[in-house]
Amino acid sequence: MSALNGKCLCGDVSFKVGAPSHLDSCHCSQCRRWSGSPNMSFDFTTVNFETDKSLKWFRSSEWAERGFCGTCGSSLFYRLVEDPSKMTVCAGAVDDISDDVKITKEFFIDEKPKFYDLAGERERLTGAETFALFGVEEDN
Ligand SMILES: [Zn+2]
Ligand SMILES: [Zn+2]
């Protein structure tokens, strides 16, 4: 598996990550607020850092943290508190993702605003279906 280069906008966080077989998108309100738009990311994977001097983590829920650059603010990673060794990687941070890599799942389709749609046919899961897939208990 060839490694791709990733970095934040200012370069204070840079890393290598294996080329993805597919991407996922999440429309939940947290991802949209954090990413500024729907989130598109790699599935949970291992990230090898070249530099992480400005990497900061924000605990966004009981079960997860979101990684970002403390200098330039780029949204970069998402990881589960119970297994921080693997993380999802925001697709926009990574160079040269192959043209044949497609988004294969959309999460939290029931939280997607009406002002956009992602074109193409793929699996679209509600929030409840997303939690069931990942075995996470909803907060309530
Ligand atoms: Zn940065
Ligand atoms: Zn989300």
Side-chain angles (χ1 to χ4, degrees):
M1 192 163 65
S2 62
L4 301 179
N5 295 306
K7 62 177 184 172
C8 66
L9 195 55
C10 74
D12 279 356
V13 180
S14 72
F15 57 90
K16 288 197 186 297
V17 64
S21 60
H22 67 275
L23 299 172
D24 298 314
S25 182
C26 186
H27 304 289
C28 85
S29 58
Q30 282 198 3
C31 282
R32 284 185 292 111
R33 200 172 293 279
W34 182 62
S35 309
S37 61
N39 184 263
M40 295 178 194
S41 32
F42 291 44
D43 211 345
F44 285 96
T45 188
T46 304
V47 173
N48 295 302
F49 287 99
E50 286 165 335
T51 174
D52 62 354
K53 64 180 176 184
S54 63
L55 179 61
K56 296 203 177 334
W57 292 94
F58 173 70
R59 182 81 176 256
S60 57
S61 67
E62 232 172 88
W63 58 86
E65 299 177 309
R66 292 169 190 261
F68 63 99
C69 174
T71 304
C72 69
S74 299
S75 299
L76 299 169
F77 310 111
Y78 175 98
R79 69 184 182 188
L80 297 178
V81 173
E82 67 178 23
D83 182 11
S85 67
K86 296 203 169 184
M87 47 191 95
T88 75
V89 180
C90 290
V94 179
D95 297 326
D96 303 320
I97 295 173
S98 167
D99 289 344
D100 55 18
V101 172
K102 304 292 182 214
I103 295 170
T104 58
K105 285 193 181 68
E106 292 180 49
F107 299 126
F108 285 85
I109 195 69
D110 47 341
E111 291 192 20
K112 183 186 74 59
K114 299 280 186 267
F115 59 75
Y116 71 84
D117 288 297
L118 299 183
E121 282 310 310
R122 64 185 64 82
E123 206 176 339
R124 294 184 168 94
L125 293 87
T126 64
E129 289 165 344
T130 303
F131 280 122
L133 181 67
F134 290 104
V136 172
E137 296 285 319
E138 256 180 287
D139 262 326
N140 54 33

